[in-house]
């Protein structure tokens, strides 16, 4: 696979040939911008759809339940699991393309950026794997594995955001603007604040509910012990999830300037295990190269 830069294309491309419209390209068709776009839309939809289903079936309370609680009971847990698995796949693809883009934009001699870029790829893939664990190990079924998945998704994911923010710092202003770095820094601070808030409120909630199986507690009554800490914790979790989604929105403009191509490199001109019969015609120079995920360029 080969990554190559593309020239910026307007949403409507006019050729000076008698004033005839020659090409129409929407913003999400440019380069690989469809990847982070699909990741954001699909992941947000998985959270919202699971929430609506769980609330309608009265499996959780309408007022800000944990995201994991909305994917605990059938049938919403089935939809939640499938959709998050797809999100994890889109996440790995997005993280990989970002890695290849930064690699192509940085010089071979800049070992600092290359080490950070490699670390970002590893952390991003680990975070996506954690998303699969969260999706397939519900908190009411195997809480320890669900917790491991949450730490990988959110904790390691926060480190990924930190790495990418540092890369943006070192790459501005010669590769992209300072505004891009400041936006990613703001989202990174939002992520850290959400993590701290969720951790502190969760500790307070669990300490005030000693002896209660909180993992299986899906319904809460206003005014009961630990309710305030519970609400703060759930709000923080939703805030953290959407801070992650918002970070990938910042990739859309960057991915408009990159394409991914797959090249079929044939090891031979036929698929026989022996010499080609004389009656079979073939092209000794046969090969194929085409865009894998890109709009018209």
């Amino acid at each position: 696979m080969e990554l190559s830069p593309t020239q910026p294309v307007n949403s409507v491309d006019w050729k000076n040939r008698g004033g005839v419209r020659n090409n129409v390209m929407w913003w999400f068709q440019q380069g690989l911008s469809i990847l982070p776009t699909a990741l954001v839309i699909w992941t947000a939809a998985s959270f919202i759809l699971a929430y609506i289903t769980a609330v309608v079936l009265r499996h959780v309370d309408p007022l800000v339940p944990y995201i994991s609680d909305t994917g605990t009971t059938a049938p919403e847990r089935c939809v939640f699991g499938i959709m998050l698995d797809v999100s994890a796949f889109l996440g790995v693809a997005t993280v990989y393309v970002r890695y290849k883009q930064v690699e192509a934009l940085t010089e071979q001699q800049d070992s600092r950026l290359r080490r950070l870029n490699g670390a970002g790829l590893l952390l991003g893939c680990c975070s996506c794997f954690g998303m699969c664990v969260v999706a397939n190990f519900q908190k009411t079924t195997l809480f320890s594995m669900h917790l491991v998945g949450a730490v990988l998704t959110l904790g390691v994911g926060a480190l990924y955001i930190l790495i990418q923010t540092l890369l943006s710092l070192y790459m501005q202003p010669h590769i992209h603007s300072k505004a891009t770095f400041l936006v990613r820094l703001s989202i990174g601070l939002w992520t850290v604040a959400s993590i701290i808030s969720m951790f502190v409120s969760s500790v307070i909630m669990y300490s005030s509910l000693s002896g209660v199986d909180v993992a299986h507690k899906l319904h809460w009554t206003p005014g009961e012990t630990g309710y305030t800490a519970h609400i703060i914790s759930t709000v923080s979790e939703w805030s953290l999830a959407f801070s992650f989604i918002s970070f990938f929105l910042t990739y859309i403009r960057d991915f408009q300037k990159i394409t991914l191509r797959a090249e079929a490199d044939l090891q031979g001109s036929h698929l026989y295990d022996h010499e080609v019969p004389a009656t079979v015609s073939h092209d000794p120079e046969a090969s194929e190269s085409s865009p894998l995920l890109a709009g018209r360029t």
Side-chain angles (χ1 to χ4, degrees):
M1 289 183 291
E2 177 185 354
L3 286 167
S4 59
T6 62
Q7 295 296 325
V9 183
N10 294 327
S11 59
V12 179
D13 182 22
W14 287 82
K15 296 290 187 180
N16 295 322
R17 296 177 180 176
V20 178
R21 181 181 297 179
N22 184 60
N23 186 29
V24 177
M25 181 179 290
W26 300 101
W27 60 270
F28 57 84
Q29 293 178 288
Q30 298 177 29
L32 286 172
S33 59
I34 188 63
L35 265 181
T37 303
L39 173 61
V40 168
I41 294 175
W42 186 269
T43 305
S46 67
F47 295 154
I48 295 171
L49 183 59
Y51 168 79
I52 292 174
T53 305
V55 169
V56 168
L57 297 178
R58 299 183 179 180
H59 292 160
V60 297
D61 299 322
L63 184 58
V64 203
Y66 280 114
I67 296 175
S68 299
D69 289 351
T70 64
T72 295
T73 309
E76 59 266 22
R77 74 178 178 190
C78 306
V79 177
F80 186 74
I82 292 173
M83 293 189 73
L84 274 193
D85 284 339
V86 174
S87 291
F89 170 77
L90 292 172
V92 169
T94 301
V95 166
Y96 175 74
V97 172
R98 173 62 179 173
Y99 164 77
K100 295 298 290 183
Q101 185 180 47
V102 173
E103 184 180 52
L105 289 170
T106 54
E107 299 177 355
Q108 290 284 349
Q109 297 82 1
D110 198 336
S111 59
R112 177 180 60 179
L113 283 181
R114 290 192 169 268
R115 284 196 300 268
L116 282 174
N117 194 32
L121 175 65
L122 178 61
L123 292 172
C125 289
C126 287
S127 181
C128 293
F129 174 72
M131 194 182 300
C132 288
V133 175
V134 167
N136 294 283
F137 292 89
Q138 290 78 31
K139 59 184 290 190
T140 55
T141 304
L142 196 58
F143 182 70
S144 58
M145 281 301 299
H146 184 85
L147 189 61
V148 169
V151 171
L152 286 174
T153 304
L154 303 177
V156 176
L159 293 177
Y160 173 78
I161 290 178
L162 172 63
I163 291 293
Q164 292 301 323
T165 302
L166 285 175
L167 282 171
S168 297
L169 171 64
Y170 297 138
M171 291 168 67
Q172 59 90 29
H174 54 288
I175 293 179
H176 59 65
S177 66
K178 187 177 181 179
T180 300
F181 160 67
L182 293 176
V183 169
R184 288 174 180 163
L185 177 62
S186 300
I187 296 175
L189 294 175
W190 174 15
T191 299
V192 172
S194 298
I195 289 177
I196 294 174
S197 175
M198 186 175 70
F199 177 77
V200 172
S201 57
S202 296
V203 169
I204 295 173
M205 179 185 66
Y206 275 90
S207 62
S208 63
L209 293 173
S210 57
V212 178
D213 188 2
V214 180
H216 289 78
K217 186 176 176 59
L218 302 180
H219 296 278
W220 294 76
T221 304
E224 70 174 301
T225 303
Y227 179 77
T228 301
H230 162 74
I231 291 297
I232 295 175
S233 178
T234 56
V235 169
S236 300
E237 184 187 49
W238 281 91
S239 173
L240 178 59
F242 279 96
S243 72
F244 274 63
I245 291 175
S246 299
F247 187 83
F248 285 104
L249 283 174
T250 68
Y251 282 178
I252 292 178
R253 289 189 64 186
D254 291 352
F255 278 34
Q256 287 177 335
K257 300 171 179 64
I258 206 80
T259 58
L260 180 66
R261 302 183 68 86
E263 181 177 349
D265 185 12
L266 300 179
Q267 303 302 310
S269 59
H270 58 82
L271 300 178
Y272 287 96
D273 293 329
H274 48 77
E275 292 188 8
V276 183
T279 57
V280 178
S281 62
H282 63 276
D283 180 5
E285 301 296 331
S287 64
E288 192 273 341
S289 178
S290 60
L292 188 62
L293 277 175
R296 288 164 290 174
T297 57

